[in-house]
Amino acid sequence: MGSFALTATGAALAAVDSAVPALVKDRFASRLMAKDATLWGADAESEASVRLGWIDLFEGSRALLPEITALRADLAAEGVDRIVLCGMGGSSLAPEVITKEAGVPLVVLDATDPDQVRAALEEDLQRTAIVVSSKSGSTVETDSQRRVFEQAFMDAGIDAASRIVIVTDPGSPLDEASRKAGYRKVFNADPEVGGRYSALTAFGLVPSGLAGADIETLLTDAEDSAEFLGDDVEDNVGLQLGAVLGGTLPLRDKIVFADAGSGLPGFADWAEQLIAESTGKLGTGLLPVVASGDAPELADVADDVLPVFLAPLDEAPGDGPAEGTRVTVSGTLGSQLFVWEYAVAVAGRLLGINPFDQPDVEAAKTAARGLLDAQPEPAEAAFVDGAVEVRGDAGLLGSSGTVAEALRALLATLPGNGYLSVQAYLDRHRQADLESVRSPLAAVTGRPVTFGWGPRFLHSTGQYHKGGSPIGVYLQLTGASSTDLTIPERPFSFGELIAAQAAGDAQVLADHGRPVLRLHLTDRAAGVAQLRDAIATLAGSGEGHHENG
């Protein structure tokens, strides 16, 4: 297939050789492209029967293109050329990678941190329109973002309704309310496409197209790849990719992504949600780890790690070392989006799970709502070290009295086949360099380390944390904001919302018996510096390291 290529070595190649012939014999490819909802077993059939719209969405998606182009021209004629996307999870991750690959500006607001929301709100409001993307319309983050922008437009003397574009499912509460409010445009998406499969629907196309991305070529490339994926043949790359994800024996359930010059910045973040939310359930699943080429996980590959390299399309995918286990994929963005969606559906079959539900996503939202309703006082810190308030149960912290000691105590609970998840409920732009703690922590522990920005990961890897293999330990980072930001007609502020989201998720993880260390940075810059020093202390002492295996 010209726009997508895959090579596999070691255990990944063995998975292709063992799993693909059975998939071909079962006619999985042709049945999937014919929307056969029985492919994942009787328990999954009812959900799958209303979640396969992504397979043949091309005609419906192409019908949106003239409307998107016209709206972009109309807005530009009014001097409106700054697009802010208010969306979470599948509503934001695809537009972010599409616009990054295209090199066009899109402000992705998938946050409740007051500083990050304020920054999006205060820049060039006169030339700003917002796209509010939510399947149901009940997503608390997006509703709050819409409210604060609507108020800001009105306060600036701007006709708010003319600056608000909605993407939602037909008949949703947001659909009806938006039409009643007279918002600029309401785009309806296919209700039979789940959020993480929505990259090539209105959710991916509207904000990307309004920002100036070439979404027509994106669709063409995806459709070209789909043409080959219905073939029941052993060189079907979708079957092969699904086999390497879900068919290694024993299962290599940590999928470590490294970008090897693919030209698709942010692609692994999109794939992370697709894989984790689709597979992380029933105590099993695949944990995606967004890393870099020099990541410790790839220097010394454990037998539960599957290295995946995203290579440029013009590079022969066989380039690079052939020893050991690795997968190299390359392709245009449209083909990559569609083939990965297809492959995750294949992996679901091999793992024996329903890839289209997300049974544990709601738990953290429910806990956060309860905390918002109750408005409890924050839990007392176990102790304070400099600019860091440390929280965790006594059984975890023991006699710890410093950040380094608390971190050491958390890492001591990490099983030999486990992972560490770092969850930062902070401003992902101003504190962007915090992501660089991931590799040192992986070196210290000798285990895969994930890094997620809260609350956006709750709509992504949060499903795996609660429903996947119970082998994770969690480091949660929160921080004091310079000033809070109120939410119009809501009894809570953004500061209270993000605090409740962090506390709610920690509570649910603890209820699942997972170790959680919470560090609250009373001064963000000083607290981040302290965390780095603590990690360096552990690295210097050689503590926390697990043998691979």
Side-chain angles (χ1 to χ4, degrees):
M1 194 172 69
S3 58
F4 187 96
L6 174 148
T7 57
T9 60
L13 180 58
V16 172
D17 291 341
S18 64
V20 171
L23 291 165
V24 171
K25 185 179 178 183
D26 290 343
R27 299 180 16 260
F28 182 93
S30 58
R31 290 166 64 195
L32 177 57
M33 298 307 276
K35 297 187 177 180
D36 183 343
T38 68
L39 287 169
W40 301 273
D43 289 346
E45 190 172 344
S46 62
E47 180 85 24
S49 67
V50 294
R51 283 288 175 262
L52 295 174
W54 56 275
I55 286 169
D56 60 356
L57 51 68
F58 299 103
E59 187 178 339
S61 291
R62 284 191 187 284
L64 296 171
L65 299 184
E67 296 181 61
I68 296 169
T69 302
L71 178 57
R72 173 172 160 77
D74 289 347
L75 288 170
E78 297 164 21
V80 177
D81 59 358
R82 176 178 179 261
I83 304 298
V84 176
L85 170 60
C86 304
M88 302 298 296
S91 298
S92 63
L93 291 163
E96 187 161 60
V97 66
I98 293 167
T99 51
K100 278 183 177 179
E101 189 263 348
V104 298
L106 175 69
V107 179
V108 177
L109 185 57
D110 52 1
T112 50
D113 178 79
D115 294 346
Q116 191 173 334
V117 176
R118 185 181 294 103
L121 197 62
E122 292 180 347
E123 183 190 332
D124 293 327
L125 200 64
Q126 292 294 335
R127 35 183 286 262
T128 296
I130 66 169
V131 179
V132 180
S133 285
S134 172
K135 281 183 72 64
S136 66
S138 62
T139 308
V140 65
E141 297 95 336
T142 5
D143 178 69
S144 301
Q145 293 154 357
R146 177 192 59 78
R147 288 173 182 275
V148 76
F149 265 97
E150 194 161 14
Q151 186 66 53
F153 285 136
M154 291 190 290
D155 290 347
I158 297 168
D159 175 20
S162 73
R163 300 293 186 91
I164 300 175
V165 177
I166 303 293
V167 184
T168 190
D169 280 359
S172 74
L174 180 61
D175 186 28
E176 295 168 11
S178 301
R179 294 181 190 280
K180 188 175 179 183
Y183 290 155
R184 181 64 174 259
K185 180 81 173 173
V186 178
F187 290 91
N188 286 145
D190 185 339
E192 296 200 348
V193 180
R196 57 189 176 274
Y197 275 80
S198 66
L200 299 166
T201 71
F203 286 105
L205 300 178
V206 170
S208 304
L210 292 179
D214 179 1
I215 51 179
E216 185 169 6
T217 297
L218 183 83
L219 281 174
T220 298
D221 287 345
E223 192 166 14
D224 287 349
S225 67
E227 194 178 324
F228 299 92
L229 294 177
D231 296 343
D232 294 306
V233 293
E234 292 189 14
D235 63 355
N236 180 323
V237 289
L239 295 180
Q240 293 176 353
L241 182 56
V244 300
L245 292 175
T248 49
L249 293 171
L251 182 64
R252 289 176 175 259
D253 60 354
K254 321 297 189 303
I255 313 296
V256 179
F257 282 93
D259 195 297
S262 71
L264 306 178
F267 184 84
D269 294 312
W270 171 82
E272 178 182 53
Q273 182 200 15
L274 175 70
I275 294 167
E277 204 168 75
S278 297
T279 69
K281 59 201 72 169
L282 301 179
T284 186
L286 305 171
L287 177 72
V289 179
V290 179
S292 56
D294 59 355
E297 295 95 331
L298 299 174
D300 180 15
V301 179
D303 60 12
D304 59 348
V305 165
L306 179 71
V308 175
F309 291 86
L310 302 170
L313 185 57
D314 57 1
E315 178 182 304
D319 291 356
E323 307 92 47
T325 293
R326 61 186 277 144
V327 181
T328 305
V329 295
S330 61
T332 60
L333 179 54
S335 67
Q336 291 264 24
L337 292 168
F338 196 84
V339 174
W340 279 90
E341 289 174 350
Y342 178 105
V344 168
V346 175
R349 161 92 164 201
L350 297 175
L351 293 168
I353 51 94
N354 172 7
F356 304 112
D357 67 349
Q358 51 281 333
D360 300 287
V361 163
E362 194 60 30
K365 298 180 189 177
T366 302
R369 280 195 293 268
L371 290 170
L372 283 169
D373 290 343
Q375 291 287 323
E377 288 298 310
E380 283 292 311
F383 63 88
V384 178
D385 177 14
V388 182
E389 297 175 355
V390 178
R391 293 180 172 82
D393 67 51
L396 173 67
L397 292 173
S399 60
S400 300
T402 67
V403 171
E405 290 168 353
L407 199 52
R408 182 183 296 127
L410 176 70
L411 299 185
T413 67
L414 181 60
N417 65 338
Y419 67 94
L420 168 65
S421 170
V422 182
Q423 306 170 347
Y425 288 83
L426 298 163
D427 183 333
R428 74 177 176 104
H429 301 304
R430 292 183 189 177
Q431 277 89 52
D433 67 336
L434 189 56
E435 289 191 55
S436 65
V437 305
R438 198 208 70 77
S439 270
L441 283 167
V444 165
T445 60
R447 295 302 303 152
V449 176
T450 66
F451 186 99
W453 293 102
R456 81 179 201 159
F457 77 84
L458 295 176
H459 299 257
S460 175
T461 49
Q463 165 62 41
Y464 182 93
H465 297 157
K466 270 81 79 172
S469 301
I471 52 175
V473 304
Y474 302 88
L475 173 61
Q476 185 186 93
L477 308 174
T478 57
S481 294
S482 48
T483 48
D484 204 350
L485 187 60
T486 58
I487 302 170
E489 298 177 18
R490 280 290 174 264
F492 50 84
S493 65
F494 276 103
E496 289 164 338
L497 173 57
I498 195 168
Q501 290 175 309
D505 193 44
Q507 177 186 310
V508 173
L509 289 169
D511 290 346
H512 279 72
R514 313 284 163 90
V516 184
L517 173 63
R518 303 180 63 196
L519 303 181
H520 180 72
L521 316 182
T522 54
D523 177 302
R524 294 192 182 197
V528 168
Q530 268 187 260
L531 176 61
R532 291 187 190 283
D533 288 345
I535 296 168
T537 298
L538 295 186
S541 67
E543 294 185 55
H545 194 280
H546 285 259
E547 290 302 314
N548 285 335

